[in-house]
Amino acid sequence: MSEPHKKNRLLWLVAFALLLVLPLAVNNYVQFVVNTMLVYSLAAIGFNVVIGYLGQLAFANAAFFGIGAYAAGLSMAHLGLPYPLALVAAAVVGGLAGALVGLPALRVRGYYLAIVTLAFGELMRWMYVHADSVTYGASGFNVPQVVLFGRGLNETGKYYVFLLVTLLGLGATRFLVKSRIGRAFVAVRNNEAAAASTGVAVLRTKVVAFAWSGLIVGLAGGLYALLNGRVSPDTFGLSQMLMHFAIVMIGGLGSLAGSIIGAVLLTGAPELLRNFPGLEEIVFSLLLMAVLFLMPRGIGGLIADRIPGARERLYQE
Amino acid sequence: MLAQLIVSGVAVGCVYALIALGMTILFRSTTIVNFCHGEFFMLGAFAVLVPLQTLGWGYGWCILFSLSLLFVVGMAVERGLMRPLQHAPHISLAMMTVALSYLFKGVARFFYGREVVALPPLLAGDPVFFGDVVLTPQDMLIMGVVLVVVVASYLFFQKTEIGKVVEAASETPRGASLSGINVPLLRNLMWGAGATMGALAGILIAPNTLVYPDMGGHMLVRGFAAMTLGGFGSLPGAVVGGITLGVVENLAGGYVSSALVEITAYVVIIIVLLIRPQGLLGNWRRARV
């Protein structure tokens, strides 16, 4: 193994160790914020698969997030599933929803796809409100407490669950986008006709990307159900969607590291301004504008330009 | 009952048509889908409310102030934020309008918090009966104003020289600049016009609903639905789509279930895009992204 590789591996190990001992250094509130960052990181990673790697302007991410949260929460509330199985349910249902939303993407694209996927999200929200015998209607429901070793999970416990799931999701997505399938995503993004002519099955590739995105984001939704202990329809509306969009744009399209950086920044900054109505949104928007003007490819792109080793292989214009 | 539902539907639909018309004008001149159009709508209503409440201006002056202010805001947005990014990918432009929508909402919330206020009706008076159909003066005013705006835009785009120039500039910007048309200036003016139309819709509907920072979100979706239904990018389509959407919404609410009113726009979007993506009047033109 070459020297720089060894150094990199060491860096990762140190970072991982720091993440493991982080709960020792923070209080409950900060722990909650960090947990939120982890959940949004995973959601952004999943979103980036479709919007960054596949290059499709699909805005169903908040819908997948909600579907995952409802799948996890309801399977615990109605079927009494233990939390790990509820997470599996969230991933499976999210993946199916992703494949379903991938179908219109075969027919419409661009703004049309953006709008039809936004509509899908609102349709889901409407269903949560009106299928109230199953979903508890407009006011939502409390997710049953997750008990581990006879005690309810506290913020620190949740942190380790989130860390584990997020790292697994990140690792699996990284593996996927670096594989033949992931390269097909990028080929479709860059030029569908060219991709098809070199033997990429465009339709199948799109559906796979959407299904994977739905799976990861559904998983993130399952985490979200545990994070807040409460699931309600109004959480998964337009503002949730725009939040995910902003995270990915600021972090950088087609950059997994960027997804995480964006999530950390955008979930952290509003927390600081929580007590000033409106200020949160103003700062948020100025941050977005600054990124659009100064670093059009997001923070992930900026890092890729400056630090050669950090370049993600598929990242380009 | 049927007639009443249709007529009230047309009144609501007129507002949607106005929203969609403003968005379409922007879309045609800049190929941008404006995610902050709902906020133009919201700002328009606030720009009437603030001088009315705090400065005690007359209603008419407040409306004039609001429309001119939003014209300037629209132009400033184009000049300051959109033009510098015009060579950026479309997704960045879409993101910029999203950022703007946050900014405007944030500013409104900063001053008006979670307050919800109503504007006094523009036309007071008792509802008028036409046979079985009841119409409030406000509804009639909405229909009248929208009719005037629609006719005026039709005449502008079809009959006047400058309207044709604007059309040419949105069809082929490069060709238009080559033949000496000042395309950036036209875009600038069209942003102003689009924002003003959004504001007008907000002023018209604010007495029926309420004025609050988040009032734009609903309308944005209605605007999308109206544009999609009529044919994305088509000016007559925006009007037809808006009015049709209003009527369909009202009929679904009246005959099936009132729970359907809020969801009609979304169902319409999904059905139209999957079955007839070009909409009622549009020709199938791929948006550049």
PDB file of all heavy atoms in Angstrom, chain A residues 9-45:
ATOM      1  N   ARG A   9      -6.218   6.400   5.104  1.00  0.00           N
ATOM      2  CA  ARG A   9      -6.918   5.419   5.915  1.00  0.00           C
ATOM      3  C   ARG A   9      -6.853   5.818   7.389  1.00  0.00           C
ATOM      4  O   ARG A   9      -7.836   5.713   8.115  1.00  0.00           O
ATOM      5  CB  ARG A   9      -6.293   4.040   5.691  1.00  0.00           C
ATOM      6  CG  ARG A   9      -6.914   2.979   6.540  1.00  0.00           C
ATOM      7  CD  ARG A   9      -6.630   1.613   6.006  1.00  0.00           C
ATOM      8  NE  ARG A   9      -7.369   1.352   4.777  1.00  0.00           N
ATOM      9  CZ  ARG A   9      -7.471   0.142   4.231  1.00  0.00           C
ATOM     10  NH1 ARG A   9      -6.852  -0.883   4.797  1.00  0.00           N
ATOM     11  NH2 ARG A   9      -8.145  -0.040   3.129  1.00  0.00           N
ATOM     12  N   LEU A  10      -5.682   6.332   7.767  1.00  0.00           N
ATOM     13  CA  LEU A  10      -5.507   6.764   9.149  1.00  0.00           C
ATOM     14  C   LEU A  10      -6.477   7.906   9.474  1.00  0.00           C
ATOM     15  O   LEU A  10      -7.144   7.906  10.512  1.00  0.00           O
ATOM     16  CB  LEU A  10      -4.056   7.219   9.348  1.00  0.00           C
ATOM     17  CG  LEU A  10      -3.645   7.392  10.815  1.00  0.00           C
ATOM     18  CD1 LEU A  10      -3.618   6.032  11.498  1.00  0.00           C
ATOM     19  CD2 LEU A  10      -2.298   8.074  10.914  1.00  0.00           C
ATOM     20  N   LEU A  11      -6.554   8.848   8.533  1.00  0.00           N
ATOM     21  CA  LEU A  11      -7.461   9.984   8.722  1.00  0.00           C
ATOM     22  C   LEU A  11      -8.895   9.511   8.930  1.00  0.00           C
ATOM     23  O   LEU A  11      -9.611   9.978   9.811  1.00  0.00           O
ATOM     24  CB  LEU A  11      -7.413  10.895   7.499  1.00  0.00           C
ATOM     25  CG  LEU A  11      -6.416  12.045   7.567  1.00  0.00           C
ATOM     26  CD1 LEU A  11      -6.407  12.800   6.253  1.00  0.00           C
ATOM     27  CD2 LEU A  11      -6.788  12.977   8.712  1.00  0.00           C
ATOM     28  N   TRP A  12      -9.313   8.568   8.089  1.00  0.00           N
ATOM     29  CA  TRP A  12     -10.680   8.049   8.200  1.00  0.00           C
ATOM     30  C   TRP A  12     -10.896   7.387   9.554  1.00  0.00           C
ATOM     31  O   TRP A  12     -11.945   7.557  10.173  1.00  0.00           O
ATOM     32  CB  TRP A  12     -10.969   7.043   7.086  1.00  0.00           C
ATOM     33  CG  TRP A  12     -11.266   7.696   5.784  1.00  0.00           C
ATOM     34  CD1 TRP A  12     -10.556   7.565   4.628  1.00  0.00           C
ATOM     35  CD2 TRP A  12     -12.336   8.610   5.498  1.00  0.00           C
ATOM     36  NE1 TRP A  12     -11.121   8.346   3.644  1.00  0.00           N
ATOM     37  CE2 TRP A  12     -12.211   8.988   4.145  1.00  0.00           C
ATOM     38  CE3 TRP A  12     -13.381   9.138   6.262  1.00  0.00           C
ATOM     39  CZ2 TRP A  12     -13.089   9.868   3.524  1.00  0.00           C
ATOM     40  CZ3 TRP A  12     -14.263  10.014   5.646  1.00  0.00           C
ATOM     41  CH2 TRP A  12     -14.110  10.376   4.303  1.00  0.00           C
ATOM     42  N   LEU A  13      -9.872   6.635   9.985  1.00  0.00           N
ATOM     43  CA  LEU A  13     -10.002   5.944  11.276  1.00  0.00           C
ATOM     44  C   LEU A  13     -10.152   6.944  12.413  1.00  0.00           C
ATOM     45  O   LEU A  13     -10.994   6.769  13.295  1.00  0.00           O
ATOM     46  CB  LEU A  13      -8.781   5.048  11.518  1.00  0.00           C
ATOM     47  CG  LEU A  13      -8.897   3.653  10.895  1.00  0.00           C
ATOM     48  CD1 LEU A  13      -7.625   2.868  11.125  1.00  0.00           C
ATOM     49  CD2 LEU A  13     -10.101   2.910  11.472  1.00  0.00           C
ATOM     50  N   VAL A  14      -9.343   8.005  12.339  1.00  0.00           N
ATOM     51  CA  VAL A  14      -9.426   9.028  13.386  1.00  0.00           C
ATOM     52  C   VAL A  14     -10.814   9.673  13.376  1.00  0.00           C
ATOM     53  O   VAL A  14     -11.466   9.837  14.415  1.00  0.00           O
ATOM     54  CB  VAL A  14      -8.335  10.099  13.185  1.00  0.00           C
ATOM     55  CG1 VAL A  14      -8.563  11.278  14.114  1.00  0.00           C
ATOM     56  CG2 VAL A  14      -6.961   9.481  13.412  1.00  0.00           C
ATOM     57  N   ALA A  15     -11.287  10.018  12.165  1.00  0.00           N
ATOM     58  CA  ALA A  15     -12.599  10.641  12.056  1.00  0.00           C
ATOM     59  C   ALA A  15     -13.670   9.727  12.626  1.00  0.00           C
ATOM     60  O   ALA A  15     -14.571  10.164  13.363  1.00  0.00           O
ATOM     61  CB  ALA A  15     -12.894  10.949  10.586  1.00  0.00           C
ATOM     62  N   PHE A  16     -13.568   8.449  12.307  1.00  0.00           N
ATOM     63  CA  PHE A  16     -14.564   7.494  12.774  1.00  0.00           C
ATOM     64  C   PHE A  16     -14.532   7.384  14.292  1.00  0.00           C
ATOM     65  O   PHE A  16     -15.578   7.374  14.958  1.00  0.00           O
ATOM     66  CB  PHE A  16     -14.298   6.132  12.118  1.00  0.00           C
ATOM     67  CG  PHE A  16     -15.324   5.101  12.464  1.00  0.00           C
ATOM     68  CD1 PHE A  16     -16.640   5.249  12.051  1.00  0.00           C
ATOM     69  CD2 PHE A  16     -14.971   3.976  13.195  1.00  0.00           C
ATOM     70  CE1 PHE A  16     -17.596   4.307  12.366  1.00  0.00           C
ATOM     71  CE2 PHE A  16     -15.923   3.029  13.521  1.00  0.00           C
ATOM     72  CZ  PHE A  16     -17.232   3.192  13.098  1.00  0.00           C
ATOM     73  N   ALA A  17     -13.311   7.343  14.836  1.00  0.00           N
ATOM     74  CA  ALA A  17     -13.176   7.248  16.288  1.00  0.00           C
ATOM     75  C   ALA A  17     -13.780   8.478  16.954  1.00  0.00           C
ATOM     76  O   ALA A  17     -14.486   8.376  17.969  1.00  0.00           O
ATOM     77  CB  ALA A  17     -11.702   7.102  16.665  1.00  0.00           C
ATOM     78  N   LEU A  18     -13.536   9.659  16.352  1.00  0.00           N
ATOM     79  CA  LEU A  18     -14.103  10.890  16.904  1.00  0.00           C
ATOM     80  C   LEU A  18     -15.631  10.826  16.893  1.00  0.00           C
ATOM     81  O   LEU A  18     -16.296  11.209  17.857  1.00  0.00           O
ATOM     82  CB  LEU A  18     -13.621  12.096  16.106  1.00  0.00           C
ATOM     83  CG  LEU A  18     -12.196  12.544  16.399  1.00  0.00           C
ATOM     84  CD1 LEU A  18     -11.818  13.718  15.519  1.00  0.00           C
ATOM     85  CD2 LEU A  18     -12.051  12.918  17.883  1.00  0.00           C
ATOM     86  N   LEU A  19     -16.180  10.324  15.787  1.00  0.00           N
ATOM     87  CA  LEU A  19     -17.630  10.200  15.699  1.00  0.00           C
ATOM     88  C   LEU A  19     -18.162   9.276  16.789  1.00  0.00           C
ATOM     89  O   LEU A  19     -19.220   9.505  17.360  1.00  0.00           O
ATOM     90  CB  LEU A  19     -18.042   9.657  14.327  1.00  0.00           C
ATOM     91  CG  LEU A  19     -18.080  10.672  13.190  1.00  0.00           C
ATOM     92  CD1 LEU A  19     -18.408   9.988  11.881  1.00  0.00           C
ATOM     93  CD2 LEU A  19     -19.112  11.744  13.495  1.00  0.00           C
ATOM     94  N   LEU A  20     -17.390   8.201  17.068  1.00  0.00           N
ATOM     95  CA  LEU A  20     -17.846   7.242  18.064  1.00  0.00           C
ATOM     96  C   LEU A  20     -17.899   7.834  19.469  1.00  0.00           C
ATOM     97  O   LEU A  20     -18.788   7.518  20.254  1.00  0.00           O
ATOM     98  CB  LEU A  20     -16.923   6.014  18.068  1.00  0.00           C
ATOM     99  CG  LEU A  20     -17.218   4.951  17.017  1.00  0.00           C
ATOM    100  CD1 LEU A  20     -16.297   3.767  17.210  1.00  0.00           C
ATOM    101  CD2 LEU A  20     -18.673   4.503  17.067  1.00  0.00           C
ATOM    102  N   VAL A  21     -16.929   8.701  19.779  1.00  0.00           N
ATOM    103  CA  VAL A  21     -16.876   9.232  21.154  1.00  0.00           C
ATOM    104  C   VAL A  21     -17.576  10.592  21.266  1.00  0.00           C
ATOM    105  O   VAL A  21     -17.631  11.169  22.344  1.00  0.00           O
ATOM    106  CB  VAL A  21     -15.434   9.370  21.675  1.00  0.00           C
ATOM    107  CG1 VAL A  21     -14.783   8.001  21.737  1.00  0.00           C
ATOM    108  CG2 VAL A  21     -14.626  10.312  20.804  1.00  0.00           C
ATOM    109  N   LEU A  22     -18.140  11.076  20.153  1.00  0.00           N
ATOM    110  CA  LEU A  22     -18.754  12.404  20.165  1.00  0.00           C
ATOM    111  C   LEU A  22     -19.785  12.613  21.280  1.00  0.00           C
ATOM    112  O   LEU A  22     -19.798  13.669  21.911  1.00  0.00           O
ATOM    113  CB  LEU A  22     -19.372  12.677  18.794  1.00  0.00           C
ATOM    114  CG  LEU A  22     -20.056  14.015  18.660  1.00  0.00           C
ATOM    115  CD1 LEU A  22     -19.286  14.893  17.711  1.00  0.00           C
ATOM    116  CD2 LEU A  22     -21.478  13.876  18.181  1.00  0.00           C
ATOM    117  N   PRO A  23     -20.633  11.622  21.566  1.00  0.00           N
ATOM    118  CA  PRO A  23     -21.657  11.865  22.597  1.00  0.00           C
ATOM    119  C   PRO A  23     -21.073  12.232  23.951  1.00  0.00           C
ATOM    120  O   PRO A  23     -21.749  12.877  24.765  1.00  0.00           O
ATOM    121  CB  PRO A  23     -22.394  10.523  22.681  1.00  0.00           C
ATOM    122  CG  PRO A  23     -22.181   9.892  21.374  1.00  0.00           C
ATOM    123  CD  PRO A  23     -20.819  10.321  20.923  1.00  0.00           C
ATOM    124  N   LEU A  24     -19.816  11.870  24.214  1.00  0.00           N
ATOM    125  CA  LEU A  24     -19.208  12.210  25.500  1.00  0.00           C
ATOM    126  C   LEU A  24     -19.033  13.712  25.637  1.00  0.00           C
ATOM    127  O   LEU A  24     -19.029  14.259  26.734  1.00  0.00           O
ATOM    128  CB  LEU A  24     -17.835  11.536  25.626  1.00  0.00           C
ATOM    129  CG  LEU A  24     -17.863  10.008  25.618  1.00  0.00           C
ATOM    130  CD1 LEU A  24     -16.452   9.448  25.638  1.00  0.00           C
ATOM    131  CD2 LEU A  24     -18.679   9.497  26.803  1.00  0.00           C
ATOM    132  N   ALA A  25     -18.891  14.389  24.468  1.00  0.00           N
ATOM    133  CA  ALA A  25     -18.507  15.795  24.508  1.00  0.00           C
ATOM    134  C   ALA A  25     -19.681  16.755  24.396  1.00  0.00           C
ATOM    135  O   ALA A  25     -19.498  17.952  24.502  1.00  0.00           O
ATOM    136  CB  ALA A  25     -17.505  16.081  23.377  1.00  0.00           C
ATOM    137  N   VAL A  26     -20.875  16.264  24.143  1.00  0.00           N
ATOM    138  CA  VAL A  26     -21.975  17.196  23.866  1.00  0.00           C
ATOM    139  C   VAL A  26     -23.148  16.977  24.816  1.00  0.00           C
ATOM    140  O   VAL A  26     -23.306  15.894  25.374  1.00  0.00           O
ATOM    141  CB  VAL A  26     -22.474  17.045  22.409  1.00  0.00           C
ATOM    142  CG1 VAL A  26     -21.378  17.347  21.432  1.00  0.00           C
ATOM    143  CG2 VAL A  26     -23.045  15.662  22.168  1.00  0.00           C
ATOM    144  N   ASN A  27     -23.927  18.034  24.977  1.00  0.00           N
ATOM    145  CA  ASN A  27     -25.130  17.883  25.813  1.00  0.00           C
ATOM    146  C   ASN A  27     -26.298  17.367  24.982  1.00  0.00           C
ATOM    147  O   ASN A  27     -26.189  17.160  23.780  1.00  0.00           O
ATOM    148  CB  ASN A  27     -25.460  19.210  26.500  1.00  0.00           C
ATOM    149  CG  ASN A  27     -25.830  20.285  25.488  1.00  0.00           C
ATOM    150  OD1 ASN A  27     -26.241  19.995  24.370  1.00  0.00           O
ATOM    151  ND2 ASN A  27     -25.674  21.532  25.889  1.00  0.00           N
ATOM    152  N   ASN A  28     -27.421  17.195  25.625  1.00  0.00           N
ATOM    153  CA  ASN A  28     -28.563  16.569  24.975  1.00  0.00           C
ATOM    154  C   ASN A  28     -29.052  17.331  23.758  1.00  0.00           C
ATOM    155  O   ASN A  28     -29.379  16.751  22.732  1.00  0.00           O
ATOM    156  CB  ASN A  28     -29.709  16.475  25.988  1.00  0.00           C
ATOM    157  CG  ASN A  28     -30.112  15.034  26.179  1.00  0.00           C
ATOM    158  OD1 ASN A  28     -29.580  14.139  25.516  1.00  0.00           O
ATOM    159  ND2 ASN A  28     -31.058  14.807  27.052  1.00  0.00           N
ATOM    160  N   TYR A  29     -29.075  18.660  23.882  1.00  0.00           N
ATOM    161  CA  TYR A  29     -29.595  19.467  22.788  1.00  0.00           C
ATOM    162  C   TYR A  29     -28.688  19.367  21.565  1.00  0.00           C
ATOM    163  O   TYR A  29     -29.158  19.123  20.445  1.00  0.00           O
ATOM    164  CB  TYR A  29     -29.748  20.921  23.226  1.00  0.00           C
ATOM    165  CG  TYR A  29     -30.087  21.826  22.069  1.00  0.00           C
ATOM    166  CD1 TYR A  29     -31.309  21.708  21.420  1.00  0.00           C
ATOM    167  CD2 TYR A  29     -29.164  22.759  21.603  1.00  0.00           C
ATOM    168  CE1 TYR A  29     -31.611  22.511  20.338  1.00  0.00           C
ATOM    169  CE2 TYR A  29     -29.466  23.560  20.525  1.00  0.00           C
ATOM    170  CZ  TYR A  29     -30.688  23.437  19.897  1.00  0.00           C
ATOM    171  OH  TYR A  29     -30.976  24.217  18.826  1.00  0.00           O
ATOM    172  N   VAL A  30     -27.375  19.546  21.801  1.00  0.00           N
ATOM    173  CA  VAL A  30     -26.435  19.443  20.684  1.00  0.00           C
ATOM    174  C   VAL A  30     -26.512  18.050  20.061  1.00  0.00           C
ATOM    175  O   VAL A  30     -26.471  17.886  18.840  1.00  0.00           O
ATOM    176  CB  VAL A  30     -25.004  19.761  21.150  1.00  0.00           C
ATOM    177  CG1 VAL A  30     -24.012  19.557  20.014  1.00  0.00           C
ATOM    178  CG2 VAL A  30     -24.920  21.175  21.674  1.00  0.00           C
ATOM    179  N   GLN A  31     -26.677  17.052  20.930  1.00  0.00           N
ATOM    180  CA  GLN A  31     -26.800  15.685  20.423  1.00  0.00           C
ATOM    181  C   GLN A  31     -27.998  15.572  19.481  1.00  0.00           C
ATOM    182  O   GLN A  31     -27.929  14.959  18.420  1.00  0.00           O
ATOM    183  CB  GLN A  31     -26.970  14.710  21.600  1.00  0.00           C
ATOM    184  CG  GLN A  31     -26.941  13.252  21.176  1.00  0.00           C
ATOM    185  CD  GLN A  31     -25.586  12.849  20.628  1.00  0.00           C
ATOM    186  OE1 GLN A  31     -24.595  12.857  21.320  1.00  0.00           O
ATOM    187  NE2 GLN A  31     -25.541  12.523  19.352  1.00  0.00           N
ATOM    188  N   PHE A  32     -29.091  16.221  19.859  1.00  0.00           N
ATOM    189  CA  PHE A  32     -30.286  16.193  19.004  1.00  0.00           C
ATOM    190  C   PHE A  32     -29.991  16.840  17.647  1.00  0.00           C
ATOM    191  O   PHE A  32     -30.373  16.317  16.600  1.00  0.00           O
ATOM    192  CB  PHE A  32     -31.449  16.906  19.696  1.00  0.00           C
ATOM    193  CG  PHE A  32     -32.641  17.105  18.800  1.00  0.00           C
ATOM    194  CD1 PHE A  32     -33.491  16.053  18.502  1.00  0.00           C
ATOM    195  CD2 PHE A  32     -32.898  18.347  18.239  1.00  0.00           C
ATOM    196  CE1 PHE A  32     -34.575  16.221  17.662  1.00  0.00           C
ATOM    197  CE2 PHE A  32     -33.982  18.533  17.390  1.00  0.00           C
ATOM    198  CZ  PHE A  32     -34.820  17.462  17.103  1.00  0.00           C
ATOM    199  N   VAL A  33     -29.287  17.977  17.680  1.00  0.00           N
ATOM    200  CA  VAL A  33     -28.949  18.649  16.418  1.00  0.00           C
ATOM    201  C   VAL A  33     -28.062  17.755  15.559  1.00  0.00           C
ATOM    202  O   VAL A  33     -28.273  17.622  14.343  1.00  0.00           O
ATOM    203  CB  VAL A  33     -28.272  20.010  16.687  1.00  0.00           C
ATOM    204  CG1 VAL A  33     -27.825  20.655  15.394  1.00  0.00           C
ATOM    205  CG2 VAL A  33     -29.203  20.937  17.432  1.00  0.00           C
ATOM    206  N   VAL A  34     -27.085  17.117  16.197  1.00  0.00           N
ATOM    207  CA  VAL A  34     -26.203  16.217  15.443  1.00  0.00           C
ATOM    208  C   VAL A  34     -27.012  15.065  14.850  1.00  0.00           C
ATOM    209  O   VAL A  34     -26.830  14.678  13.682  1.00  0.00           O
ATOM    210  CB  VAL A  34     -25.080  15.674  16.358  1.00  0.00           C
ATOM    211  CG1 VAL A  34     -24.288  14.599  15.647  1.00  0.00           C
ATOM    212  CG2 VAL A  34     -24.161  16.807  16.787  1.00  0.00           C
ATOM    213  N   ASN A  35     -27.949  14.536  15.629  1.00  0.00           N
ATOM    214  CA  ASN A  35     -28.804  13.467  15.114  1.00  0.00           C
ATOM    215  C   ASN A  35     -29.570  13.928  13.884  1.00  0.00           C
ATOM    216  O   ASN A  35     -29.687  13.204  12.897  1.00  0.00           O
ATOM    217  CB  ASN A  35     -29.789  13.017  16.198  1.00  0.00           C
ATOM    218  CG  ASN A  35     -29.094  12.267  17.316  1.00  0.00           C
ATOM    219  OD1 ASN A  35     -27.896  11.991  17.227  1.00  0.00           O
ATOM    220  ND2 ASN A  35     -29.827  11.940  18.358  1.00  0.00           N
ATOM    221  N   THR A  36     -30.097  15.165  13.975  1.00  0.00           N
ATOM    222  CA  THR A  36     -30.829  15.710  12.830  1.00  0.00           C
ATOM    223  C   THR A  36     -29.929  15.787  11.606  1.00  0.00           C
ATOM    224  O   THR A  36     -30.338  15.436  10.497  1.00  0.00           O
ATOM    225  CB  THR A  36     -31.344  17.124  13.169  1.00  0.00           C
ATOM    226  OG1 THR A  36     -31.938  17.080  14.460  1.00  0.00           O
ATOM    227  CG2 THR A  36     -32.351  17.596  12.162  1.00  0.00           C
ATOM    228  N   MET A  37     -28.686  16.223  11.836  1.00  0.00           N
ATOM    229  CA  MET A  37     -27.744  16.308  10.716  1.00  0.00           C
ATOM    230  C   MET A  37     -27.545  14.946  10.063  1.00  0.00           C
ATOM    231  O   MET A  37     -27.499  14.838   8.837  1.00  0.00           O
ATOM    232  CB  MET A  37     -26.393  16.823  11.216  1.00  0.00           C
ATOM    233  CG  MET A  37     -26.405  18.291  11.599  1.00  0.00           C
ATOM    234  SD  MET A  37     -24.853  18.723  12.406  1.00  0.00           S
ATOM    235  CE  MET A  37     -25.117  20.472  12.679  1.00  0.00           C
ATOM    236  N   LEU A  38     -27.434  13.911  10.878  1.00  0.00           N
ATOM    237  CA  LEU A  38     -27.219  12.573  10.318  1.00  0.00           C
ATOM    238  C   LEU A  38     -28.399  12.158   9.450  1.00  0.00           C
ATOM    239  O   LEU A  38     -28.239  11.652   8.336  1.00  0.00           O
ATOM    240  CB  LEU A  38     -27.030  11.559  11.448  1.00  0.00           C
ATOM    241  CG  LEU A  38     -25.654  11.521  12.086  1.00  0.00           C
ATOM    242  CD1 LEU A  38     -25.657  10.582  13.278  1.00  0.00           C
ATOM    243  CD2 LEU A  38     -24.617  11.052  11.070  1.00  0.00           C
ATOM    244  N   VAL A  39     -29.611  12.391   9.959  1.00  0.00           N
ATOM    245  CA  VAL A  39     -30.804  11.976   9.215  1.00  0.00           C
ATOM    246  C   VAL A  39     -30.873  12.713   7.882  1.00  0.00           C
ATOM    247  O   VAL A  39     -31.115  12.115   6.827  1.00  0.00           O
ATOM    248  CB  VAL A  39     -32.076  12.240  10.052  1.00  0.00           C
ATOM    249  CG1 VAL A  39     -33.314  11.957   9.237  1.00  0.00           C
ATOM    250  CG2 VAL A  39     -32.053  11.386  11.308  1.00  0.00           C
ATOM    251  N   TYR A  40     -30.616  14.023   7.930  1.00  0.00           N
ATOM    252  CA  TYR A  40     -30.684  14.790   6.686  1.00  0.00           C
ATOM    253  C   TYR A  40     -29.550  14.435   5.736  1.00  0.00           C
ATOM    254  O   TYR A  40     -29.705  14.526   4.519  1.00  0.00           O
ATOM    255  CB  TYR A  40     -30.727  16.291   6.984  1.00  0.00           C
ATOM    256  CG  TYR A  40     -32.131  16.746   7.285  1.00  0.00           C
ATOM    257  CD1 TYR A  40     -32.604  16.808   8.586  1.00  0.00           C
ATOM    258  CD2 TYR A  40     -33.000  17.055   6.256  1.00  0.00           C
ATOM    259  CE1 TYR A  40     -33.903  17.185   8.853  1.00  0.00           C
ATOM    260  CE2 TYR A  40     -34.295  17.428   6.513  1.00  0.00           C
ATOM    261  CZ  TYR A  40     -34.753  17.494   7.819  1.00  0.00           C
ATOM    262  OH  TYR A  40     -36.037  17.854   8.062  1.00  0.00           O
ATOM    263  N   SER A  41     -28.395  14.060   6.295  1.00  0.00           N
ATOM    264  CA  SER A  41     -27.305  13.619   5.424  1.00  0.00           C
ATOM    265  C   SER A  41     -27.752  12.432   4.589  1.00  0.00           C
ATOM    266  O   SER A  41     -27.561  12.394   3.374  1.00  0.00           O
ATOM    267  CB  SER A  41     -26.086  13.199   6.251  1.00  0.00           C
ATOM    268  OG  SER A  41     -25.576  14.284   6.952  1.00  0.00           O
ATOM    269  N   LEU A  42     -28.370  11.473   5.245  1.00  0.00           N
ATOM    270  CA  LEU A  42     -28.797  10.270   4.532  1.00  0.00           C
ATOM    271  C   LEU A  42     -29.852  10.633   3.481  1.00  0.00           C
ATOM    272  O   LEU A  42     -29.804  10.152   2.347  1.00  0.00           O
ATOM    273  CB  LEU A  42     -29.343   9.233   5.517  1.00  0.00           C
ATOM    274  CG  LEU A  42     -29.557   7.848   4.927  1.00  0.00           C
ATOM    275  CD1 LEU A  42     -28.264   7.276   4.386  1.00  0.00           C
ATOM    276  CD2 LEU A  42     -30.173   6.899   5.940  1.00  0.00           C
ATOM    277  N   ALA A  43     -30.782  11.502   3.869  1.00  0.00           N
ATOM    278  CA  ALA A  43     -31.826  11.910   2.920  1.00  0.00           C
ATOM    279  C   ALA A  43     -31.201  12.584   1.706  1.00  0.00           C
ATOM    280  O   ALA A  43     -31.609  12.357   0.565  1.00  0.00           O
ATOM    281  CB  ALA A  43     -32.829  12.835   3.592  1.00  0.00           C
ATOM    282  N   ALA A  44     -30.174  13.412   1.945  1.00  0.00           N
ATOM    283  CA  ALA A  44     -29.538  14.132   0.847  1.00  0.00           C
ATOM    284  C   ALA A  44     -28.735  13.179  -0.034  1.00  0.00           C
ATOM    285  O   ALA A  44     -28.703  13.340  -1.264  1.00  0.00           O
ATOM    286  CB  ALA A  44     -28.636  15.236   1.395  1.00  0.00           C
ATOM    287  N   ILE A  45     -28.104  12.189   0.591  1.00  0.00           N
ATOM    288  CA  ILE A  45     -27.354  11.209  -0.200  1.00  0.00           C
ATOM    289  C   ILE A  45     -28.296  10.499  -1.169  1.00  0.00           C
ATOM    290  O   ILE A  45     -28.016  10.344  -2.359  1.00  0.00           O
ATOM    291  CB  ILE A  45     -26.664  10.194   0.745  1.00  0.00           C
ATOM    292  CG1 ILE A  45     -25.502  10.866   1.470  1.00  0.00           C
ATOM    293  CG2 ILE A  45     -26.189   8.975  -0.025  1.00  0.00           C
ATOM    294  CD1 ILE A  45     -24.968  10.059   2.638  1.00  0.00           C
TER     295      ILE A  45
END
